[in-house]
Amino acid sequence: MQFYDIFNGDADGICALQQLRLEEPRAATLVTGVKRDVRLLDRITAAAGDELTVLDISLKANADGLARLLESGARLRYFDHHAPGELPRHANLKAFIDIAPDTCTSLIVDRYLNGRQRPWAVVAAFGDNLAGPAQLAAAILNLDEGDIQRLRELGECINYNAYGETVDDLHYHPADLYEILSRYRDPREFIEGEPVFEVLQCALADDFDRARGTAPALAVDNAALYVLPDAAWSRRIHGLFSNQLVRRHPRRAHAVLVRSGGGYVVSVRAPLERPYGADALCLRFESGGGRQAAAGINQLPEADYSRFVAEFTGAFSG
């Protein structure tokens, strides 16, 4: 029998796995990658009796791989907060999916574990730009404001590390970062004891400074759009830059585009005060997907730029 832990390389995927393995320790083959590398089930060849835990990757994007693995006789637990498409009914699949805009995979795992590793769920929620749910989850932990701020910074740093076209853009491979985190039951001990945190903090600050120097290509009452250059720092920062913009202007939708290979990689954030519609917009374009509050397009051709601008501003005009 083989065990596999398959997880998104962002804060939500890493912290979801951290919670589970603190409660249910076991050695497993780790399968992960950059944040947009979501078709992870395609990498796995499993046999009858193998057990797979899947965290924070779209079931819809992995439907073919999931069907193949179930047919092989593998058993899967699937935790996620993205729209799943048609959910298969199979005795070997246990799915824990909630697509509400105020949750994330780590908060779903937190419910599954009855809050027993909640500090890591708080870290993940902050990393996923869910400040309100993160504060609510933290409320019963008796943390002071300084602790909560440190958990926020940790979530943002872990999330920042997942953005890139390939793992070569990242400061740490997500599997390596998880292995380091897994040594700590309390995220505050990681913050105090690991130089990794300071490395990511400094790198994040440097990349943010570059992004803040970029003027918007479009700015109207309901929406703003930024275009960043084809550079490793742009690929690393565009997600967190999007999150920061929507926190500063909660009534606006935001799109951050990074030039890439004759087109763009796109991050979209719905207005914080009305966190719906990002997924519906991105699904109008090939390679688009995500969730209601935050979504993206893996490759927007240059020829579709004008159409995207029109549909983006129109989608949030109400």
Side-chain angles (χ1 to χ4, degrees):
M1 178 188 298
Q2 298 290 321
F3 298 102
Y4 297 88
D5 288 335
I6 304 113
F7 58 102
N8 197 307
D10 69 356
D12 198 16
I14 288 176
C15 292
L17 180 59
Q18 173 76 338
Q19 292 174 82
L20 278 174
R21 291 293 160 253
L22 286 173
E23 286 294 305
E24 305 170 359
R26 74 180 187 194
T29 299
L30 303 180
V31 182
T32 187
V34 300
K35 182 176 178 67
R36 290 179 184 269
D37 191 358
V38 296
R39 293 188 59 178
L40 297 177
L41 296 190
D42 290 349
R43 298 188 191 177
I44 298 169
T45 301
D50 289 351
E51 294 189 5
L52 290 73
T53 299
V54 188
L55 300 150
D56 198 40
I57 59 171
S58 163
L59 191 151
K60 184 176 181 180
N62 285 276
D64 291 343
L66 176 60
R68 175 179 53 81
L69 291 165
L70 290 171
E71 186 177 349
S72 75
R75 297 191 295 268
L76 292 95
R77 281 189 306 174
Y78 211 116
F79 297 86
D80 191 38
H81 65 135
H82 302 92
E86 185 175 354
L87 188 64
R89 294 186 178 183
H90 196 287
N92 282 2
L93 174 65
K94 294 182 179 179
F96 305 86
I97 295 176
D98 183 349
I99 65 170
D102 59 351
T103 197
C104 62
T105 301
S106 283
L107 290 174
I108 297 169
V109 171
D110 178 68
R111 291 201 302 266
Y112 178 79
L113 297 176
N114 294 315
R116 291 191 294 274
Q117 301 297 337
R118 181 157 296 169
W120 289 105
V122 173
V123 171
F126 276 128
D128 224 22
N129 203 37
L130 296 172
Q135 294 279 3
L136 286 174
I140 66 169
L141 296 178
N142 296 318
L143 301 173
D144 62 33
E145 284 303 313
D147 284 337
I148 291 173
Q149 180 59 28
R150 283 189 288 274
L151 296 187
R152 178 197 291 270
E153 291 174 1
L154 177 57
E156 291 177 348
C157 284
I158 298 172
N159 218 50
Y160 157 74
N161 184 71
Y163 280 92
E165 185 174 340
T166 69
V167 292
D168 291 338
D169 286 335
L170 311 185
H171 296 286
Y172 297 95
H173 192 292
D176 295 336
L177 184 54
Y178 165 72
E179 293 278 19
I180 298 168
L181 283 170
S182 69
R183 305 169 193 163
Y184 298 87
R185 294 195 69 84
D186 189 322
R188 292 169 294 182
E189 294 175 357
F190 172 83
I191 291 168
E192 293 165 4
E194 274 296 338
V196 167
F197 177 60
E198 186 175 353
V199 169
L200 291 176
Q201 266 191 318
C202 293
L204 175 58
D206 287 345
D207 287 351
F208 256 137
D209 284 344
R210 294 186 180 98
R212 291 189 190 106
T214 304
L218 166 76
V220 294
D221 287 344
N222 62 299
L225 181 147
Y226 291 75
V227 179
L228 303 183
D230 184 354
W233 72 264
S234 301
R235 295 188 288 271
R236 288 193 298 261
I237 201 62
H238 69 98
L240 267 75
F241 185 45
S242 302
N243 291 345
Q244 184 186 75
L245 289 168
V246 81
R247 287 197 300 269
R248 288 185 172 181
H249 306 281
R251 296 182 180 179
R252 271 185 181 173
H254 292 85
V256 176
L257 283 65
V258 178
R259 294 186 181 276
S260 174
Y264 306 89
V265 175
V266 181
S267 285
V268 175
R269 299 293 184 268
L272 204 59
E273 294 186 356
R274 190 163 46 88
Y276 303 95
D279 56 344
L281 167 67
C282 291
L283 285 168
R284 298 175 199 170
F285 298 84
E286 189 176 355
S287 81
R291 53 192 175 87
Q292 296 179 74
I297 302 168
N298 287 338
Q299 185 64 29
L300 179 75
E302 181 75 47
D304 284 346
Y305 174 81
S306 296
R307 176 189 159 212
F308 174 79
V309 171
E311 299 219 15
F312 169 62
T313 53
F316 299 103
S317 60

